Amino acid sequence: MRKKIPTITRPDPAYAASLRPEVEEDPGREEVQRVETIPRPVSIEASVAEEDLAPGQGTPSAPRPQPRQDTAAGIAPPEMMSSPRIRRIQATRKIDIRVSALERQEEALIDCGVDPAHVIRAALRRAVRNWQLGPDFVPPSEEQRTRITEWRARTSLAVDAGAVTALLRAHDPLDVLSKWTLIRGQLEPRVWAEIDALLDEIADRAAAAQDAPGEPRI
């Protein structure tokens, strides 16, 4: 059996005295601790910034750096700023145009499966996308146009005013003809060529759709 340790219920002076360690007095130790706890004086010279000294006292103050102009933020020095470029806008003149397909294109337009009027308007947009009116007069083509007026595409087109003036001086000095008569010889052949190209594209797509294998029927 273990020996039961007695529980102390009240302070026992004799027992507490026996627990106190005997410490020899060391006068030198107390002196060392007193020296270590004494705070060191803060240097007054170190606390004074050089830039706060008045002229003639301590170290002369250094000039403060000037703020650098940040070119990345959009602020550039005057020597780097260039004069704004002036963009000239080309003078144009609007002309009403009326474009029809050719008579030889009627059958293909009817059989293509697309509204012929839509095909003609799409061809007109392609023809004028990168077209520029030239100063030389081209007489209108003598090819037979279609008589189906529902297919005609009508719009207004902005062309170079200088080219129109040159055409007027050379072929219509009295300005009695319509402006469409002056430019149709240059534009109509481009529209007819685009109609042929669109008809070929539609036929190729229809043939590809027929040749593609369909889903098996149940």
Side-chain angles (χ1 to χ4, degrees), residues 72 89 94 100 165:
I89 300 176
K94 286 188 176 181
S100 298
T165 302

Side-chain angles (χ1 to χ4, degrees), residues 43-124:
S43 176
I44 300 177
E45 295 180 358
S47 62
V48 179
E50 293 182 359
E51 57 186 6
D52 296 333
L53 292 176
Q57 296 181 2
T59 305
S61 58
R64 296 184 180 180
Q66 297 295 329
R68 182 176 59 88
Q69 293 181 344
D70 192 358
T71 56
I75 304 175
E79 58 271 10
M80 295 181 61
M81 295 183 180
S82 59
S83 58
R85 297 181 180 179
I86 300 175
R87 184 178 179 182
R88 296 183 60 184
I89 300 176
Q90 184 180 8
T92 58
R93 183 170 180 176
K94 286 188 176 181
I95 296 179
D96 295 332
I97 60 177
R98 300 175 298 276
V99 181
S100 298
L102 294 175
E103 188 176 356
R104 64 173 178 81
Q105 297 172 334
E106 290 181 359
E107 185 177 355
L109 286 169
I110 294 173
D111 298 338
C112 71
V114 183
D115 189 350
H118 294 168
V119 176
I120 296 172
R121 283 195 289 268
L124 176 59

Side-chain angles (χ1 to χ4, degrees), residues 92-171:
T92 58
R93 183 170 180 176
K94 286 188 176 181
I95 296 179
D96 295 332
I97 60 177
R98 300 175 298 276
V99 181
S100 298
L102 294 175
E103 188 176 356
R104 64 173 178 81
Q105 297 172 334
E106 290 181 359
E107 185 177 355
L109 286 169
I110 294 173
D111 298 338
C112 71
V114 183
D115 189 350
H118 294 168
V119 176
I120 296 172
R121 283 195 289 268
L124 176 59
R125 289 194 298 269
R126 289 188 178 187
V128 301
R129 185 172 298 167
N130 298 319
W131 174 69
Q132 294 291 335
L133 177 63
D136 299 330
F137 175 75
V138 178
S141 176
E142 296 182 357
E143 291 195 63
Q144 187 65 35
R145 282 83 169 167
T146 180
R147 297 182 179 180
I148 304 175
T149 57
E150 290 82 2
W151 294 358
R152 181 178 298 174
R154 304 185 62 175
T155 185
S156 59
L157 184 64
V159 297
D160 183 18
V164 175
T165 302
L167 291 173
L168 287 173
R169 290 176 180 176
H171 301 281

